[in-house]
Every structure is written in structure tokens, then in C-alpha cells.
Amino acid sequence: MITVYDTACGSKNLGDQIIMESVVRELAAIFPHSHLVTYPTHYPLSRHALRKAWANQLAFVGGTNILRNKRRFRAHRNPWSLAFLDARRMTPAIFMGVGAFKYSGAPDWKARWFYQRALSHSWIHSVRDNYTLCQLLQMGVNNVMNTGCPTMWCLTDEHCRNIPYSRANNVIFTLTDYHQDYVSDKALVAILLKSYEGVFFWPQGSGDLAYVKKLMRDDWHARITIIPSHLQAFDSLLEHSHSLDYVGTRLHAGIRALQKSRRTIIVGIDNRALEKQRDFNLKVCHRNNAVALTEAIEGSFQTQIRLPSECIEKWKLQFDGWQQV
């Protein structure tokens, strides 16, 4: 049995479902004869549940922006809801595509103390970008590699060759409720309405729908189709639409679109998209650059993701033969 700390359970962001789906798929392929037992990260667990989670020899933390440069003593005050002293009792965990929350200063002493004890020294950790790798190194965790997020591991050269180069007839877009820029986001929607025949909106986060309704002009309502706020509806549109692009501020909605072989432009609003552009050549346009976004939409480009394939394979292969130990 293997413990998996599930970052999607209880999350108000459907992007975490996209991440955990890939995490579980990859772990199931690495450990085909093991039972994966999931425990939520968003809410503190009972002592009984923690004892069960810590009874297993391997424990993985599914990638999301869970790493912080500060750590609190009480479990409920931490994004990975463990108490400070749990680090001394738990089975040391293994990061899998984990990322840092945002650009921040040096880690405090509590973060360094916690992660040095909560994370395994025997296995290599996987992080989603070089910025997160540097953050872990500052915390004294040196057995770490940048593999990118597991959601990207399937975006091989062969897969990307099937992604269209030129603009589609229709577009599905996203916005981010907790990172609002009324002027820039309104300009983004106006560009999409000018460039595409059909425009769809998918609310990935719990507050995205309210935000887009607040943003929309009266004459936009008839032009924008809002699809249901669940992953199945998003997948269905991506899989069955004849001609469809993705443009939006939600990073993992964009990666989902790439998984479904859709031409994708991420509108960068924070460190996650910008770091992925730098490390993996993800197509990103800054939200405040309307000219660059219009040129990307109307122009032609080839999706060429630079996967760190050697690091991904090395991270996977370290577990070969584990079940015989």
C-alpha cells in the first residue's frame, strides 16, 4: 500500500483534479501491483487517519502550488495540513511535480526544519520548475530534480505534432477569480470576440463564473456560451468540437487542452505560467500585452514542449524493484 497526499480533495479549483488525475495515472503505471490510498492535504486529518497514512513505506505528495517559504505550528494553518511536529513522526514523503506558491523570499527556519524532516532523504523529489527546485535547495533538500508537472509528461514531440498550428474557428477561455485585472481581462475577452466565431467560457475556479458575469458587457451575453463548471463538460468540448483553441489565464485548463491536442495560449498572470514558459517552452503571453496576444492568436506557431525527459525517466526508474524490497 502506498500513501498519496491528494491535493484535489476539497479543492475549489478544478485544476487540482487535472493534476491529481495525472499523478495517479503515473503512479499506477510505476506501481501496477500496489494499492494507492489517498489522504487530503487541504484539511487536517485525525490522529487515526494519520497513523494509517504513516504506516505505509512510500508516500507521495501530488503536485500543486503547495510549497511555502513559511510554516506554521498548527496543521490547519498550513496548505499541506500537517502540524509542525508531525515531520518527526510521519513516513518521509516524496514530492511529485510539486510547485512553489508564488515568488517569495528565503524560507524561514520552521519551513527548513519541517521539510528537511518531512521529506524523504532516500528518494529523489520531483518538482514542476526550476524556481521550486531552488526553493527546496534553500530549505536544505538537495535530492531533487525538475521534471515538470506530471500533467505535462504526456506532451511528447509525437503528441505535439498533432496540435494545429493555425487559429481555429472557435475558442474556449478561462479567467482567474483570485487574480483579477478588470481592464486587462476585459480587453482579453474583446480580443477573443473579435478573433473567433464561437466563444466559450469554462469556470475552473469557484469564483470564476461570478467574475466573468461582472466583467461582461450587455452585448457580450449572446456571444459567449458558458459551459458547466465541472471537468467532464470541459473535456467533452475539447474532445468533440471540430475547430477549437484554448486561450486563458488558468494554467492547467491550458495543459488539459494540450493533452486533448488543442492549440493553446496561456495568458500569464503569475509565476507558474512564466516559469513553465522559461523551462519548457509553453506558449505564454503576458496578460498586459494585448498586441502580443493578438499576434499569437492570428499567427501560426508550432507547439514544441521541451520535456526534461531524462529527469522524468530517472525519477520513475528509481522505484524499479521497490516491491521486491
Side-chain angles (χ1 to χ4, degrees):
M1 294 176 68
I2 293 173
T3 293
V4 181
Y5 291 102
D6 186 343
T7 53
C9 181
S11 173
K12 296 180 180 180
N13 180 355
L14 294 173
D16 290 327
Q17 288 187 24
I18 296 171
I19 295 169
M20 284 307 302
E21 180 186 283
S22 293
V23 166
V24 170
R25 181 186 65 241
E26 296 292 342
L27 288 176
I30 296 169
F31 305 103
H33 304 296
S34 294
H35 186 74
L36 305 179
V37 186
T38 58
Y39 297 88
T41 59
H42 286 281
Y43 305 102
L45 297 169
S46 68
R47 285 292 125 185
H48 176 71
L50 288 174
R51 282 194 294 270
K52 285 183 173 293
W54 299 343
N56 300 327
Q57 294 181 37
L58 289 184
F60 292 88
V61 183
T64 186
N65 55 332
I66 201 170
L67 186 68
R68 301 291 199 276
N69 68 328
K70 298 182 184 299
R71 195 76 195 174
R72 304 293 183 249
F73 289 110
R74 295 185 179 181
H76 73 274
R77 298 190 65 193
N78 295 306
W80 181 12
S81 296
L82 294 175
F84 183 67
L85 294 178
D86 285 341
R88 300 178 62 178
R89 297 184 283 263
M90 63 190 289
T91 299
I94 305 161
F95 274 171
M96 185 176 180
V98 164
F101 174 56
K102 61 182 179 179
Y103 293 125
S104 55
D108 65 13
W109 71 267
K110 293 191 293 296
R112 293 194 300 271
W113 188 94
F114 178 85
Y115 288 112
Q116 285 176 21
R117 289 157 181 81
L119 299 182
S120 174
H121 293 268
S122 303
W123 304 101
I124 300 170
H125 299 283
S126 151
V127 294
R128 73 180 181 203
D129 53 48
N130 280 323
Y131 176 71
T132 307
L133 186 149
C134 292
Q135 287 290 97
L136 272 184
L137 292 177
Q138 287 187 66
M139 293 177 185
V141 179
N142 299 311
N143 50 322
V144 56
M145 292 190 306
N146 177 10
T147 64
C149 180
T151 55
M152 299 180 65
W153 293 1
C154 62
L155 303 180
T156 61
D157 290 342
E158 181 180 5
H159 177 90
C160 290
R161 278 194 290 270
N162 294 319
I163 298 175
Y165 292 16
S166 302
R167 178 177 58 81
N169 295 327
N170 307 302
V171 67
I172 185 163
F173 77 99
T174 59
L175 297 173
T176 305
D177 65 322
Y178 62 82
H179 207 308
Q180 300 180 11
D181 183 329
Y182 191 82
V183 174
S184 296
D185 288 340
K186 200 162 187 175
L188 163 63
V189 178
I191 290 169
L192 299 180
L193 288 169
K194 183 178 180 181
S195 298
Y196 293 95
E197 297 173 13
V199 179
F200 300 85
F201 177 77
W202 182 54
Q204 178 183 303
S206 59
D208 292 358
L209 180 58
Y211 178 48
V212 78
K213 287 183 174 180
K214 171 184 167 185
L215 199 72
M216 286 167 59
R217 292 181 353 202
D218 291 342
D219 58 325
W220 288 357
H221 287 271
R223 291 280 322 273
I224 298 173
T225 301
I226 297 173
I227 66 170
S229 183
H230 53 74
L231 188 55
Q232 291 82 358
F234 186 50
D235 283 347
S236 180
L237 189 67
L238 292 172
E239 291 166 1
H240 299 117
S241 293
H242 174 65
S243 181
L244 184 74
D245 286 349
Y246 169 84
V247 180
T249 62
R250 289 289 190 175
L251 173 62
H252 281 96
I255 292 178
R256 187 62 152 204
L258 289 171
Q259 291 177 349
K260 303 295 184 181
S261 299
R262 296 298 183 174
R263 183 175 179 263
T264 294
I265 301 170
I266 307 294
V267 179
I269 59 172
D270 58 24
N271 65 301
R272 293 172 299 163
L274 299 176
E275 292 298 324
K276 283 186 179 294
Q277 179 188 36
R278 183 178 295 114
D279 292 351
F280 311 117
N281 198 39
L282 196 67
K283 185 68 174 179
V284 176
C285 291
H286 198 279
R287 176 163 58 180
N288 296 326
N289 195 338
V291 173
L293 177 60
T294 302
E295 289 176 350
I297 290 171
E298 298 298 336
S300 178
F301 64 88
Q302 183 180 3
T303 302
Q304 292 180 307
I305 304 297
R306 292 193 303 262
L307 283 180
S309 301
E310 290 186 7
C311 289
I312 293 169
E313 282 307 303
K314 184 177 179 180
W315 187 85
K316 291 180 179 180
L317 289 173
Q318 70 177 324
F319 303 108
D320 272 13
W322 171 78
Q323 290 170 310
Q324 281 74 49
V325 174

